Amino acid sequence: MTLSSSLLSPTTKLNLLHSSSSSSSVNVFGTRFIFSGAGIVSVNSRTGSDRFVVLFSTHSNPKILKSNRRSRYGQALSPYDSDEDEEEKDEFGGLSEDDWFTDDEFAEISDFDAKRKRSKLNRGFGGSSRKQPEKGQSSASSSFSIDKDFGSRNVKLTLEKSNVGSYYRNRKEAVDLRKGKLNMRKIIENKYPRLAEEIEIDEKWLPLIDYLSTFGLKESHFIQMYERHMPSLQINACSAQERLEYLLSVGVKQRDVKRILLRQPQILEYTVENNLKSHVAFLISLGIPNSRIGQIVAAAPSLFSYSVENSLKPTVRYLVEEVGIKEKDLGKVVQLSPQILVQRIDITWNTRYIFLSKEIGAPRDSIVKMVTKHPQLLHYSIDDGLLPRINFLRSIGMRNADILKVLTSLTQVLSLSLEDNLKPKYLYLINELNNEVKSLTKYPMYLSLSLDQRIRPRHRFLVSLKKAPKGPFPLSSFVPTDECFCQQWAGTSLDKYLAFRQRLLLKEFANKYERKV
């Protein structure tokens, strides 16, 4: 709080000054300031006017501020509020009278002068408030502050440039990536147009597709693989090569790889150590020779998807314990029908056992012999496979006992075509060989031989040599090999017979072609 000196009489001013225990004075810009415990008297040396400021105790000041108050330039402020207006502050370089004091003592006058001059200089250069070196601060320190300021600006500019550069660099990489994808898409479309049209090909699939193409797979095959098991095309080409090369090493033919992949594309996912080797070892343990492993894999590639312990071994155990197949015959059974390992053997066995028992009165031992000789029996449909062929044998005059004898000796009769195989052979037996049906019970193998490659050529060759026996033609002449036939029945060289057969085949082919035309 301040009181103008015009409101106080000279006597009052002197009394106030003398009431202080001590006083001091100082000249600042032509004005003399007299300090005392009661207040300050300012005397202008040019005009002679004076002004007295009274400082009251904080106990009598109703307006108390926080002790940590700071000016807008960072200096500590007096805990007492100032009543001066903004114009008065500007007169002293932006500092009010209250700004001159700390809590306990007056500021050094030299500091004040430096601050005041600095404030005026700052206003003269656009009011910049950049900090200048204070008294006692070296120019090097000041230079460091300036350099630090410029340095921070440089760092900022550098970061901004770096960010801009990174932006354009990332944008360029994105553009290049898009261009690369477009180029790769064109390559795919040019190389595999149908495949690219049918499915969305990932460029990562190309190495695998190129590799599998070496096994003869075409675009239509890859579409089948995709529809059957899409993840198979996502396999790494190196991993796929390792697995296929292992299969080739155990006897799989290169021509069979295409068929295996079309039937079981998942095989590309099966690891060599944890899957392929363990299954191959299981097959060998059944007594299957190494030379036949490849054929079994090609015939039933799905066996790799079955657990050895939880599926394959229980199936083998059922064949031995429930069906009655001898352990020594297991290898032969699996070689004849690898699919027997991957089907519900309990259901197929029970249904066919019951059917044959009721239909032709087959005992269990006979049925076990049928399965051992021709395990494909367990795959044939009863209504479309077994029953029609049994009925055909009945239709040509066979009884159930004759049918059972034929089927026990030659179970593959159940797999032969009625129209293209069984019926033509029966007609040739009756019309050309002058034989009876009952001869089939003695030589059921006749029904399994080729009519064009063996039965007709041998019969016609003996007729041409006039060595055909009178009466029914002996079916036993069809059983031995060509060499034995020439020695025992024809009494001529093998070359002569083979030349005759070749001419006969060409003649038969010409006749069939003329009939079709």
Side-chain angles (χ1 to χ4, degrees):
M1 178 179 180
T2 61
L3 294 176
S4 176
S5 60
S6 60
L7 298 178
L8 302 174
S9 63
T11 305
T12 304
K13 294 178 183 178
L14 292 174
N15 291 335
L16 288 171
L17 290 173
H18 289 294
S19 63
S20 175
S21 60
S22 64
S23 63
S24 63
S25 64
V26 68
N27 289 320
V28 179
F29 302 125
T31 303
R32 185 183 180 204
F33 294 89
I34 303 173
F35 301 91
S36 68
I40 304 172
V41 177
S42 63
V43 182
N44 194 313
S45 60
R46 288 177 295 181
T47 61
S49 61
D50 58 6
R51 187 171 64 166
F52 184 77
V53 180
V54 179
L55 300 180
F56 292 94
S57 169
T58 58
H59 300 287
S60 63
N61 190 351
K63 210 170 187 183
I64 301 178
L65 299 180
K66 293 181 179 179
S67 61
N68 60 353
R69 184 184 176 196
R70 299 269 175 183
S71 73
R72 58 183 173 182
Y73 300 104
Q75 290 83 3
L77 297 178
S78 170
Y80 308 105
D81 194 12
S82 172
D83 293 330
E84 301 295 329
D85 55 16
E86 291 299 325
E87 292 180 359
E88 188 174 3
K89 291 182 179 180
D90 290 340
E91 179 182 355
F92 291 94
L95 298 175
S96 67
E97 294 169 336
D98 292 340
D99 293 338
W100 302 346
F101 302 97
T102 61
D103 291 339
D104 301 322
E105 60 182 1
F106 299 111
E108 293 290 336
I109 299 302
S110 58
D111 290 347
F112 165 76
D113 290 342
K115 292 177 183 178
R116 184 181 181 190
K117 292 178 181 178
R118 188 167 61 250
S119 178
K120 288 184 178 181
L121 289 173
N122 289 341
R123 286 201 302 273
F125 288 92
S128 174
S129 61
R130 184 180 300 171
K131 187 175 181 180
Q132 301 295 328
E134 299 182 2
K135 182 179 179 180
Q137 183 179 10
S138 66
S139 59
S141 176
S142 175
S143 175
F144 171 78
S145 299
I146 295 173
D147 290 343
K148 184 177 180 182
D149 186 38
F150 280 113
S152 63
R153 289 190 177 186
N154 291 336
V155 170
K156 184 177 181 180
L157 290 174
T158 302
L159 289 175
E160 290 177 351
K161 290 180 180 180
S162 175
N163 291 334
V164 171
S166 176
Y167 167 77
Y168 284 107
R169 184 166 56 254
N170 293 338
R171 185 176 181 182
K172 182 178 182 300
E173 291 176 355
V175 171
D176 292 342
L177 182 60
R178 285 195 295 270
K179 288 182 179 179
K181 288 184 177 180
L182 291 176
N183 293 335
M184 182 58 67
R185 188 65 187 175
K186 290 181 180 179
I187 293 174
I188 295 174
E189 292 176 352
N190 292 334
K191 197 169 186 179
Y192 303 103
R194 182 182 174 187
L195 191 59
E197 182 180 355
E198 293 287 338
I199 62 178
E200 187 68 24
I201 305 178
D202 192 318
E203 62 184 67
K204 297 178 181 178
W205 301 357
L206 282 183
L208 176 64
I209 293 175
D210 290 340
Y211 169 67
L212 297 181
S213 298
T214 62
F215 294 96
L217 277 82
K218 307 298 182 183
E219 291 184 84
S220 59
H221 299 144
F222 291 118
I223 294 174
Q224 293 179 40
M225 291 176 63
Y226 179 88
E227 292 175 347
R228 192 175 185 89
H229 189 67
M230 185 271 287
S232 62
L233 294 180
Q234 299 176 342
I235 303 301
N236 180 274
C238 294
S239 299
Q241 182 177 359
E242 177 190 10
R243 290 151 194 176
L244 292 182
E245 285 182 352
Y246 174 77
L247 294 180
L248 293 173
S249 70
V250 297
V252 174
K253 303 296 183 183
Q254 183 150 345
R255 64 174 180 269
D256 292 331
V257 171
K258 179 175 71 175
R259 182 176 62 175
I260 291 173
L261 293 177
L262 292 178
R263 293 179 60 183
Q264 191 74 12
Q266 298 94 322
I267 206 168
L268 294 175
E269 302 178 54
Y270 303 151
T271 61
V272 174
E273 295 297 330
N274 298 331
N275 189 296
L276 302 183
K277 285 187 176 181
S278 60
H279 285 70
V280 169
F282 166 75
L283 294 176
I284 294 175
S285 69
L286 298 178
I288 299 172
N290 293 332
S291 59
R292 298 297 303 275
I293 296 295
Q295 297 177 15
I296 293 175
V297 171
S302 61
L303 68 89
F304 288 107
S305 63
Y306 290 84
S307 169
V308 172
E309 297 297 330
N310 300 327
S311 182
L312 299 181
K313 286 185 177 180
T315 297
V316 170
R317 196 158 44 244
Y318 186 89
L319 289 172
V320 174
E321 297 175 358
E322 301 297 331
V323 176
I325 296 177
K326 297 178 181 180
E327 291 188 12
K328 66 177 183 178
D329 294 329
L330 280 175
K332 182 178 69 174
V333 169
V334 173
Q335 291 179 62
L336 292 172
S337 179
Q339 292 82 3
I340 201 172
L341 295 174
V342 295
Q343 67 178 145
R344 287 294 304 275
I345 191 66
D346 54 341
I347 296 177
T348 57
W349 160 254
N350 288 326
T351 53
R352 284 150 186 79
Y353 170 71
I354 294 172
F355 169 76
L356 292 173
S357 298
K358 291 182 177 181
E359 190 67 23
I360 59 175
R364 185 183 182 91
D365 291 344
S366 297
I367 300 175
V368 172
K369 289 181 180 180
M370 293 182 193
V371 173
T372 302
K373 290 182 177 181
H374 193 71
Q376 293 90 334
L377 165 67
L378 298 177
H379 313 321
Y380 298 153
S381 168
I382 292 177
D383 295 332
D384 298 330
L386 304 184
L387 187 58
R389 284 152 184 80
I390 290 175
N391 288 336
F392 167 74
L393 295 177
R394 283 178 178 157
S395 69
I396 65 176
M398 285 189 178
R399 297 172 299 178
N400 285 345
D402 298 330
I403 295 174
L404 176 60
K405 187 175 182 179
V406 170
L407 294 182
T408 304
S409 300
L410 192 72
T411 311
Q412 55 262 44
V413 168
L414 296 172
S415 65
L416 300 177
S417 169
L418 289 174
E419 299 299 327
D420 299 332
N421 200 308
L422 294 179
K423 288 182 179 181
K425 290 177 185 177
Y426 165 73
L427 294 176
Y428 195 87
L429 175 73
I430 300 299
N431 299 328
E432 300 293 335
L433 301 179
N434 298 318
N435 241 297
E436 297 179 355
V437 174
K438 64 179 181 180
S439 63
L440 294 177
T441 58
K442 187 176 182 179
Y443 293 101
M445 186 177 289
Y446 170 84
L447 294 174
S448 66
L449 301 175
S450 171
L451 180 61
D452 295 331
Q453 295 287 340
R454 178 169 290 199
I455 297 175
R456 185 182 288 115
R458 289 191 181 186
H459 172 245
R460 296 287 177 86
F461 187 62
L462 291 180
V463 171
S464 67
L465 295 176
K466 296 182 180 182
K467 292 185 176 182
K470 296 179 180 181
F473 191 85
L475 301 184
S476 58
S477 63
F478 301 125
V479 177
T481 63
D482 289 341
E483 292 180 352
C484 292
F485 167 75
C486 291
Q487 292 176 3
Q488 297 176 9
W489 295 89
T492 186
S493 66
L494 178 63
D495 292 339
K496 188 176 181 179
Y497 167 69
L498 294 177
F500 176 86
R501 186 175 68 179
Q502 185 67 22
R503 291 192 300 269
L504 182 62
L505 290 174
L506 291 174
K507 184 179 179 179
E508 293 291 334
F509 178 77
N511 292 336
K512 289 181 180 180
Y513 180 77
E514 288 178 359
R515 286 196 296 268
K516 289 182 179 180
V517 174

